[in-house]
């Protein structure tokens, strides 16, 4: 598998294995990154038949990252890396206020995955900020009380943001941005902050899936 990745991938590729099994693909990605200094990422999917994910795949990848002792008592140094374990679930397709709110609450990990930001930087009432080791920042405003702490947080860290990079701020809204004027008034214009209403895009995706199935 590692040889296949050497031929077919680039150093910043995302590798998807929809039949994750025992985690061989993930292991190969980590070893290849260690050898050539790559930053490849992998996504492994499984139905966890016979507990292969919980008892084999996940523990294996975790050991490869953290280091382990093999069957010959030899200590194997870890490759390092970040590991996230997600479980899928059904979301009620009814498009009502309660389900929309539930969908928004369940979207946090999706947004973190999309933005590659998993490190919780700050958490206040109806506001959370996440980052990653490269310095990227992503914010989520769940409701109006989260607006003020979000603006305060962005003001606090704006000097550390690279000139050509923006902070994506996801705001719970059923339509267009509700808070653009507030950010403009605080001197945090569109050149720094990109306001994105959510979960509207996620709702549209679910609606399109529903129509295609029907």
């Amino acid at each position: 598998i590692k040889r296949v990745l050497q031929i077919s991938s680039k150093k910043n590729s995302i590798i998807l294995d929809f039949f994750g099994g025992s985690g061989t693909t993930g292991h190969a990605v980590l070893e290849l990154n260690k050898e050539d200094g790559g930053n490849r990422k992998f996504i492994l999917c499984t139905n966890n038949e016979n507990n292969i994910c919980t008892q084999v795949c996940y523990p294996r990848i975790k050991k490869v990252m953290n280091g382990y002792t093999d069957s010959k008592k030899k200590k194997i140094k870890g490759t390092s890396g970040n590991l996230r374990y997600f479980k899928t679930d059904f979301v009620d397709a009814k498009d009502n206020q309660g389900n929309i709110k539930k969908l928004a609450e369940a979207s946090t990990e999706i947004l973190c995955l999309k933005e590659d930001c998993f490190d919780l930087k700050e958490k206040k009432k109806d506001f959370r900020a996440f980052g990653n080791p490269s310095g990227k920042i992503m914010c989520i405003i769940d409701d109006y009380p989260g607006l003020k702490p979000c603006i305060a947080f962005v003001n606090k860290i704006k000097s550390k943001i690279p000139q050509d990079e923006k902070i994506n701020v996801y705001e719970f809204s059923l339509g267009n941005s509700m808070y653009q004027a507030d950010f403009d008034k605080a001197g945090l214009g569109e050149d720094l902050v990109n306001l994105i209403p959510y979960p509207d895009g996620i709702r549209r995706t679910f609606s399109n899936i529903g129509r295609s199935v029907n």
Side-chain angles (χ1 to χ4, degrees):
I1 296 296
K2 189 165 69 174
R3 179 59 181 152
V4 171
L5 294 175
Q6 284 178 324
I7 297 169
S8 62
S9 73
K10 298 179 181 179
K11 287 188 176 182
N12 61 346
S13 291
I14 299 176
I15 315 300
L16 170 64
D17 185 347
F18 221 86
F19 298 92
S22 64
T24 299
T25 298
H27 193 163
V29 170
L30 292 170
E31 290 291 346
L32 188 56
N33 280 344
K34 184 178 179 180
E35 289 179 10
D36 66 9
N39 189 35
R40 300 171 187 83
K41 302 172 186 176
F42 61 86
I43 301 171
L44 307 181
C45 304
T46 175
N47 63 357
N48 199 30
E49 185 176 2
N50 297 321
N51 296 318
I52 193 169
C53 182
T54 54
Q55 294 183 7
V56 181
C57 181
Y58 181 76
R60 175 185 182 179
I61 298 300
K62 193 172 182 180
K63 284 183 178 180
V64 172
M65 288 182 174
N66 296 335
Y68 61 97
T69 301
D70 66 13
S71 59
K72 298 180 180 179
K73 306 300 182 182
K74 181 181 179 182
K75 289 187 177 182
I76 308 298
K77 187 178 180 181
T79 62
S80 75
N82 295 307
L83 181 62
R84 290 294 185 277
Y85 187 148
F86 298 99
K87 293 183 179 181
T88 58
D89 199 359
F90 288 101
V91 175
D92 198 323
K94 294 180 181 178
D95 200 12
N96 57 44
Q97 186 69 27
N99 283 332
I100 293 170
K101 191 68 176 177
K102 181 181 177 181
L103 179 61
E105 291 171 355
S107 298
T108 297
E109 295 289 357
I110 296 175
L111 297 178
C112 288
L113 188 63
K114 177 179 181 293
E115 297 291 338
D116 190 27
C117 292
F118 291 97
D119 301 328
L120 184 63
K121 296 296 185 180
E122 189 161 306
K123 183 177 181 180
K124 303 287 186 180
K125 180 176 172 57
D126 294 318
F127 165 69
R128 286 154 294 153
F130 298 87
N132 68 15
S134 67
K136 184 178 180 180
I137 297 292
M138 180 265 290
C139 301
I140 299 176
I141 301 175
D142 294 318
D143 209 342
Y144 183 74
L147 174 61
K148 188 174 180 180
C150 180
I151 290 176
F153 175 80
V154 173
N155 263 318
K156 182 174 65 176
I157 57 96
K158 65 181 181 181
S159 61
K160 301 177 183 179
I161 303 299
Q163 187 174 2
D164 297 330
E165 189 169 318
K166 293 185 179 182
I167 300 172
N168 284 339
V169 177
Y170 290 86
E171 51 171 319
F172 178 73
S173 172
L174 302 184
N176 297 324
S177 171
M178 300 185 295
Y179 304 136
Q180 186 65 62
D182 296 274
F183 278 87
D184 290 341
K185 186 177 180 180
L188 306 173
E190 296 181 17
D191 57 327
L192 175 65
V193 175
N194 181 31
L195 289 170
I196 307 171
Y198 90 103
D200 192 51
I202 300 170
R203 288 171 63 212
R204 287 198 302 270
T205 300
F206 273 91
S207 297
N208 292 334
I209 292 172
R211 281 196 294 269
S212 64
V213 171
N214 292 332

